[in-house]
Amino acid sequence: MATDEPGADWRTELDQVQARWQAAVAAGADVAALRTLEVDALGKKGEITALVRRTGALPPDDRRAFGAAVGALRGVVEGWLAERADDLQAAVLQAELDDSTFDVGRPAAAGRVGHVHPLSQVQAEVEDVFRSMGFHVLDYPEVDSDFSNFESLNIPSWHPAREMQDTFWLDDGNLLRTHTSAGQVRAMHAFEAPFRAVFPGKVFRYEATDASHEHTFHQIEGLMIDRVVSVGHLLDSMRTLLRAILRDAAVEVRLRPGYFPFVEPGFELDIRCRVCGGGGCSVCKQRGWLELLPCGLVHPNVLRAGGLDPDHWQGWAFGLGLSRLVMMRFGVPDVRLLLAGDVRFLAQF
Ligand code: FA5
């Protein structure tokens, strides 16, 4: 509406612009619509931004009042946009709460819970059985020296027994241990004789894999050092272990001669086949017995390498294939499943 007062024209125009934006914001139906309105009003090319640019064209007396009025208009429109956005959000929330199918008391979806790997489960049980018989548990590095893994075990560099366990060598002459026997001399230095210790761990061999052979698998070594030890004591310790792990009080074991340069005499300990009960089947290759672990009395040269005088100390040792024990315990048909990392397999234990 035109009047004769100075500045009346632009004041009227600003009032009209304000009224238009008030109505437009009030009609904004959702957040996206509000965003468009904001750009159209206050963006670089927006209507209110364009008004600011007109300041210079006004008579000098009006400029200050016009600038202040446009600034106020800008603030008012910004306030309406924010208020409308809050109202819309509150309305959406209220609609969700009013929806009778929305149940605030419903329990949240259950997350996936992991569990201990079967190898770790059985390892912990084996450790517990031996702890109850007074054994220490020793941990030591997977990268070890030629001395620990071979030399100290009566296997010098020229010895043909090196062929039995090929491994992965590092450039610095160290190797990935091929068996937990690599801890024997380390244990003799770690504990004061007499002592008993088990040392579980991962071992590595450079060999072809099949259902019962992996390049990476787990063993547990046991070592007992005393003034006098006997094969009877070794056998009884093995029986105690297997009864506990296989949950079978009637486990039957037997010894056969076996060759390892670090024991004398050396044995292979067999367990009566749990599938056929000894009658013969495909699992035990019709023998009625399954080979489970090698063991024997510690060779004098190994005692010497560990700083013990063989005239005063004796020992027995065993090297249990932990991976095979897990297979027997849970009926796993292929050792390669254990470290394949397939959750569908692991979730069963
Ligand atoms: C040894 O490793 C000797 N250090 C054991 C020993 C210790 C003998 C103390 C005497 C005194 P051997 O290579 O047979 O022996 O392995 C021991 C056990 O590890 C085997 O009976 C078997 O259960 C397991 N084993 C061997 N090779 C593999 C493989 N590639 N994959 C899975 N398990 C294996």
Side-chain angles (χ1 to χ4, degrees):
M1 199 195 299
T3 84
D4 293 338
E5 290 170 44
D9 285 351
W10 59 257
R11 284 205 171 85
T12 310
E13 185 189 349
L14 291 191
D15 286 347
Q16 286 167 353
V17 170
Q18 180 163 328
R20 218 172 349 96
W21 281 109
Q22 185 173 23
V25 172
D30 54 31
V31 175
L34 290 183
R35 178 73 195 130
T36 307
L37 290 175
E38 187 180 4
V39 172
D40 291 348
L42 310 168
K44 252 192 209 163
K45 295 181 184 162
E47 185 180 3
I48 297 173
T49 311
L51 286 173
V52 179
R53 292 202 196 98
R54 273 175 38 197
T55 314
L58 289 172
D61 289 348
D62 278 2
R63 281 183 200 157
R64 183 185 287 264
F66 180 79
V70 173
L73 171 60
R74 190 182 174 85
V76 166
V77 173
E78 271 172 355
W80 286 333
L81 283 166
E83 224 173 274
R84 179 71 186 144
D86 285 351
D87 289 350
L88 284 174
Q89 218 171 352
V92 168
L93 191 63
Q94 192 57 51
E96 277 177 12
L97 291 172
D98 291 346
D99 180 354
S100 58
T101 61
F102 181 78
D103 178 4
V104 286
R106 195 169 135 198
R112 289 176 69 182
V113 179
H115 63 80
V116 178
H117 191 286
L119 270 165
S120 305
Q121 286 178 38
V122 174
Q123 179 176 323
E125 285 182 30
V126 174
E127 287 178 13
D128 280 350
V129 171
F130 279 104
R131 272 204 192 91
S132 75
M133 296 193 285
F135 281 70
H136 299 283
V137 177
L138 176 71
D139 190 20
Y140 66 99
E142 289 167 7
V143 173
D144 212 334
S145 63
D146 182 277
F147 177 78
S148 294
N149 200 83
F150 292 124
E151 290 276 341
S152 69
L153 292 169
N154 209 23
I155 315 176
S157 57
W158 49 265
H159 200 291
R162 289 229 174 182
E163 296 293 314
M164 290 159 67
Q165 297 181 5
D166 203 356
T167 186
F168 301 89
W169 293 86
L170 278 73
D171 289 341
D172 63 5
N174 284 320
L175 49 86
L176 295 185
R177 62 188 183 190
T178 58
H179 53 176
T180 44
S181 300
Q184 287 196 14
V185 163
R186 207 178 274 270
M188 290 176 201
H189 289 296
F191 307 113
E192 198 176 325
F195 72 86
R196 305 155 185 212
V198 285
F199 13 115
K202 209 184 269 175
V203 299
F204 310 84
R205 291 193 192 174
Y206 180 56
E207 62 182 29
T209 64
D210 59 30
S212 51
H213 294 87
E214 250 296 28
H215 49 72
T216 302
F217 58 102
H218 288 70
Q219 290 186 334
I220 288 198
E221 191 88 356
L223 178 65
M224 173 168 172
I225 299 289
D226 212 324
R227 295 287 181 194
V228 178
V229 300
S230 74
V231 174
H233 185 214
L234 166 63
L235 254 183
D236 197 57
S237 303
M238 296 300 98
R239 269 196 213 103
T240 306
L241 170 72
L242 295 172
R243 282 176 189 154
I245 300 299
L246 300 177
R247 314 266 196 272
D248 180 358
V251 168
E252 273 185 81
V253 296
R254 73 172 188 189
L255 289 182
R256 282 181 295 118
Y259 174 69
F260 296 90
F262 37 98
V263 283
E264 181 58 39
F267 309 104
E268 287 287 353
L269 183 140
D270 296 339
I271 178 169
R272 194 182 285 280
C273 181
R274 291 159 54 75
V275 176
C276 63
C281 67
S282 60
V283 173
C284 62
K285 300 191 183 106
Q286 309 304 327
R287 294 189 196 119
W289 295 87
L290 279 172
E291 187 178 313
L292 187 65
L293 63 95
C295 53
L297 298 186
V298 179
H299 194 286
N301 285 350
V302 180
L303 292 169
R304 278 190 203 99
L308 298 174
D309 179 350
D311 289 334
H312 292 107
W313 297 102
Q314 299 181 346
W316 58 244
F318 68 86
L320 171 71
L322 186 67
S323 307
R324 295 229 173 119
L325 192 60
V326 172
M327 291 168 76
M328 292 184 85
R329 161 79 173 271
F330 295 117
V332 176
D334 191 320
V335 68
R336 292 167 295 191
L337 289 166
L338 290 176
L339 295 182
D342 187 334
V343 176
R344 292 168 304 177
F345 166 73
L346 294 173
Q348 301 172 64
F349 305 101

